[in-house]
Amino acid sequence: ALDHSDAMPLAWATAYDASPSYSVYALRGYPSMVQVDVANMIPFAYSAIASSVTILLRLPLDSNSSDPSVRARSSLVDWRVLAPTPYAWSFSRKTFYFQADDVPGTTADLPIRYPPFCPAVAPQNRIDFDGENEHRDGWRAGQVYGFRTQIQVPPET
């Protein structure tokens, strides 16, 4: 799940946050707005190997929009990506790829200045992106952004 806003509770992982929501789904979006590819579904408990995951985003955001409401929700955006419980993100800043040259299927670098931190404590299925980390170029309409990293697949899969 990908979310951002103050509107509607999402799940236990965000229930007590200042901004628990699912608002990206309420926005008028593009087809295939979020695509997820987990390369290997063998559980981490059996293989001791985290699986590669690629997430592509084509969001209705535009930091240069002439529409003030679009521009406001497209600048300095705090957002997060939630994998299903009990998946666990498993990456270092060196193994979190967000530049277009490193992420097949993207048309632009994810507009962040540096990779997020991998969650060390519960919920480990959640990656937080701080709007203060947003690259000055911001989000552009029609671009496909994304990242590639590692995740631990649970035995319950």
Side-chain angles (χ1 to χ4, degrees):
L2 176 78
D3 63 345
H4 163 73
S5 92
D6 304 332
M8 152 164 81
L10 177 65
W12 73 269
T14 63
Y16 300 102
D17 286 3
S19 299
S21 73
Y22 246 168
S23 71
V24 77
Y25 298 109
L27 299 174
R28 174 177 243 149
Y30 300 99
S32 304
M33 205 162 59
V34 178
Q35 295 177 346
V36 178
D37 177 39
V38 179
N40 185 342
M41 294 301 289
I42 296 174
F44 181 81
Y46 306 141
S47 68
I49 299 171
S51 184
S52 177
V53 61
T54 302
I55 297 182
L56 301 179
L57 309 166
R58 189 167 183 236
L59 303 176
L61 300 174
D62 187 358
S63 300
N64 288 333
S65 176
S66 59
D67 180 338
S69 66
V70 172
R71 194 170 54 252
R73 74 167 183 250
S74 302
S75 300
L76 301 178
V77 177
D78 290 331
W79 56 288
R80 59 190 162 226
V81 176
L82 292 165
T85 304
Y87 282 73
W89 295 105
S90 181
F91 61 87
S92 70
R93 287 189 156 199
K94 291 183 178 182
T95 61
F96 188 94
Y97 303 97
F98 62 93
Q99 295 178 325
D101 291 343
D102 298 323
V103 185
T106 59
T107 59
D109 295 352
L110 190 65
I112 59 176
R113 290 181 287 157
Y114 49 86
F117 289 104
C118 185
V121 297
Q124 290 184 293
N125 64 324
R126 173 177 156 174
I127 304 175
D128 291 312
F129 294 84
D130 183 2
E132 295 299 320
N133 179 32
E134 189 172 299
H135 192 275
R136 61 180 161 76
D137 291 341
W139 301 86
R140 300 290 176 253
Q143 295 293 333
V144 178
Y145 299 100
F147 62 89
R148 180 173 53 89
T149 196
Q150 302 290 313
I151 197 165
Q152 294 179 14
V153 175
E156 297 85 2
T157 302

